[in-house]
Amino acid sequence: MSVSPLTSPTAASAPSQAELLDFVRRAAADAELIASLPLDPEGRTWLRLAGPGGSEAWLIGWPPGTGTGWHDHADSVGAFLTASGELRENSLAARLPTDGWRTLELTEDVDRERRLGAGEGRAFGRHHVHEVYNDSPDSHAVSVHAYYPPLPRIRRYSRSGQVLRLEQVERPEDWQ
């Protein structure tokens, strides 16, 4: 099955995390789609895709040394999969309060790290806080991401040791 950037299959209900993961897996296996993404030597590039059941999906190119910084996807569930290269995901294995705070002190045992090579990915639930990086010194990585409901906001954080600080809230108009 080929995944088109502008067409979306119809769905009777909201896609599950497993369905989002299946979508990103199929999209990442579409060599023509992956090759259609222009890669920039310095900045991330992206192509918006129509995900299943009204989800939001993106094909993202990661030059060497680029990453997202700490963030979450608010009330959306999601999945992402590395199509080529390798990405590192650092995440927090703790459910954080969703609103009403600016600074939190994290416990020592909440950090998780995953290395996701080509064909490897994961699904995640609401309020999943993570950062994703291509820490290769010389190779691009490409990945596919899907979120449902479409991202209502992204909260960006800074981190110093065990202190996590809310820095900014972005809305769709900030990145589309």
Side-chain angles (χ1 to χ4, degrees):
M1 173 181 201
S2 180
V3 178
S4 167
L6 298 176
T7 60
S8 175
T10 58
S13 63
S16 67
Q17 290 178 40
E19 289 166 328
L20 293 174
L21 186 57
D22 181 60
F23 169 81
V24 298
R25 185 171 286 118
R26 287 183 291 112
D30 184 335
E32 186 176 325
L33 176 65
I34 301 308
S36 74
L37 179 67
L39 298 177
D40 183 296
E42 296 180 20
R44 286 190 300 154
T45 55
W46 54 87
L47 176 63
R48 185 155 186 180
L49 307 173
S55 64
E56 180 174 346
W58 298 89
L59 177 63
I60 301 176
W62 306 77
T66 59
T68 61
W70 287 97
H71 68 283
D72 71 17
H73 305 101
D75 295 318
S76 297
V77 298
F80 73 99
L81 188 127
T82 304
S84 66
E86 180 181 81
L87 293 172
R88 174 176 48 94
E89 179 197 31
N90 294 323
S91 62
L92 300 178
R95 179 139 178 125
L96 303 181
T98 56
D99 288 304
W101 63 274
R102 299 288 298 179
T103 303
L104 288 176
E105 186 166 345
L106 304 170
T107 61
E108 293 291 329
D109 61 347
V110 298
D111 291 300
R112 301 293 181 267
E113 179 182 308
R114 286 184 171 89
R115 294 211 171 259
L116 302 166
E120 297 179 316
R122 67 172 310 223
F124 53 85
R126 289 168 169 67
H127 311 291
H128 176 69
V129 177
H130 68 165
E131 62 178 352
V132 179
Y133 279 94
N134 174 8
D135 51 13
S136 169
D138 55 12
S139 298
H140 265 80
V142 175
S143 58
V144 182
H145 303 246
Y147 311 98
Y148 190 86
L151 296 172
R153 60 188 169 156
I154 293 177
R155 291 180 288 233
R156 299 226 175 251
Y157 305 98
S158 63
R159 182 157 178 200
S160 178
Q162 295 306 109
V163 176
L164 187 70
R165 181 180 318 274
L166 176 64
E167 296 291 345
Q168 180 179 3
V169 178
E170 296 176 2
R171 308 249 180 253
E173 56 270 17
D174 297 326
W175 66 81
Q176 295 181 13

